[in-house]
Amino acid sequence: MSFDGLELGILGPGCLAGLLVLTTHVPFGCEVLKRGIIFLDLAIAQFAGLGVIAADRYLHDPHGWEVQAAAVTSALFGASLLNWTERRWPEIQEALIGTSFVMAATLGIMLLAGNPHGGEHLRELLVGQLLWVRLEQLWPVAILSVAVLAIWFGLGERLGRPAFYALFAVSVTASVSLVGLYLVFASLVVPALGTFRLQGRRRLAVAYGIGVAGYVVGLAVSALLDLPSGAVVVWSLAAFAALAAFTVPPGRKVSVQQSRD
C-alpha cells in the first residue's frame, strides 16, 4: 500500500472527469432503465469507439478534432439506427441493441487486426485512462454537459425520441474519451439500479451521491493499492449502489405529475 498516489494533482483531474460524466449519465440512466434499454449506452459507446478506430486506421496521423468528429458521426449513426429499430420493432429493441453492440465491437477488432498497437487501443477504449486525464480535456466536456442538461431538464418529456437518442449519443461519445466504455456503462446504470425504489428529485439526489462516492473512493483505493482505476471505480460504484438500495427508505409514493415537478 502506497500513499504517494493520494495527491490532488494526480486524483483531481480523474475525479473531475468522473463528476462530469455523472452530471449527464445519472438522469440518462434513470431514463434508460425506465425504457428498458439499459444496454443502449454500450452499443452507442461501441459505435463511437468504432469511429475512433476507423479514423486511426484510414486517416493519416489524425488530429484530435478529426478523431472526435469520426466518433460523434459514428455514434450518431448508431443512435439513428437504433431509434429507427425502436419505432419499427419495439418488442425486440433490447435484442437489437445487444446485436448492434456485438457487431460494432467485432468490426472494431477486425479493423485493429494487424495493428501492432491494437491491443493497447482496445484496452484504452474499454477501461480508459482515468488517472491520465488532463484538465484541458475537461473544458469541452463541461460545456457540452451544461448544454445537454439544459436541453434535458428544459424540455423534459417534450423531448422526442430522436432528440433523446441524439443527446445520448453525443454525451456517451464525450464520456468514452475520458473514462472508457466500462465506466460509461457503470456510471449510467449502477446509480440508477441503486435507486430504483426512489422517485423524482430524491432519486436523482441519491443517485448522484452514489456516483460521487463511487468515483472518489474508487480512485483513492486504486491509488493506495496500485490497481487499475477504472476497474476499481466500477466496483466502488456497485458497492455504494448496493448500500443505498438496502439502506435508503423509498419514502412516500408520489403521483406522476408530482414526480415531474
Side-chain angles (χ1 to χ4, degrees), residues 1-258:
M1 182 179 294
S2 173
F3 291 91
D4 295 338
L6 293 178
E7 297 181 11
L8 187 59
I10 296 176
L11 299 182
C15 280
L16 289 175
L19 296 182
L20 280 177
V21 170
L22 290 170
T23 57
T24 55
H25 282 42
V26 165
F28 275 133
C30 296
E31 182 67 19
V32 298
L33 199 65
K34 182 177 75 174
R35 295 186 181 209
I37 48 174
I38 60 173
F39 293 110
L40 177 64
D41 70 316
L42 275 178
I44 298 298
Q46 192 63 63
F47 272 104
L50 182 61
V52 173
I53 293 171
D56 185 66
R57 173 168 180 143
Y58 294 112
L59 298 179
H60 177 67
D61 190 24
H63 299 287
W65 71 268
E66 293 174 318
V67 172
Q68 286 299 315
V72 170
T73 301
S74 182
L76 287 174
F77 168 77
S80 300
L81 175 65
L82 294 174
N83 174 54
W84 178 75
T85 60
E86 185 177 352
R87 291 200 317 268
R88 191 169 181 86
W89 302 292
E91 67 278 5
I92 56 170
Q93 175 69 356
E94 188 72 354
L96 291 171
I97 290 173
T99 302
S100 300
F101 164 74
V102 171
M103 294 181 69
T106 49
L107 180 56
I109 291 174
M110 288 188 284
L111 290 177
L112 286 172
N115 187 333
H117 303 291
E120 181 181 347
H121 287 322
L122 188 59
R123 180 179 178 276
E124 289 181 2
L125 174 65
L126 293 176
V127 300
Q129 295 287 338
L130 193 56
L131 290 180
W132 299 104
V133 172
R134 303 184 307 277
L135 287 175
E136 55 266 27
Q137 293 178 260
L138 302 182
W139 286 109
V141 180
I143 295 171
L144 176 65
S145 298
V146 170
V148 168
L149 289 173
I151 296 172
W152 178 257
F153 288 110
L155 294 179
E157 294 192 359
R158 291 176 294 170
L159 188 69
R161 186 172 53 208
F164 167 76
Y165 272 92
L167 276 181
F168 194 89
V170 172
S171 299
V172 166
T173 301
S175 301
V176 168
S177 66
L178 290 179
V179 301
L181 192 148
Y182 290 157
L183 260 180
V184 165
F185 181 77
S187 300
L188 185 95
V189 174
V190 174
L193 283 175
T195 57
F196 75 98
R197 297 187 301 162
L198 308 180
Q199 296 181 12
R201 294 177 181 175
R202 187 162 180 261
R203 182 182 190 183
L204 282 178
V206 176
Y208 276 123
I210 291 170
V212 172
Y215 269 92
V216 172
V217 174
L219 281 170
V221 170
S222 71
L224 285 172
L225 302 181
D226 193 25
L227 292 172
S229 57
V232 177
V233 171
V234 168
W235 278 81
S236 180
L237 285 169
F240 281 105
L243 181 65
F246 287 106
T247 60
V248 178
R252 66 182 182 89
K253 293 185 177 180
V254 297
S255 67
V256 174
Q257 181 62 40
Q258 286 178 308

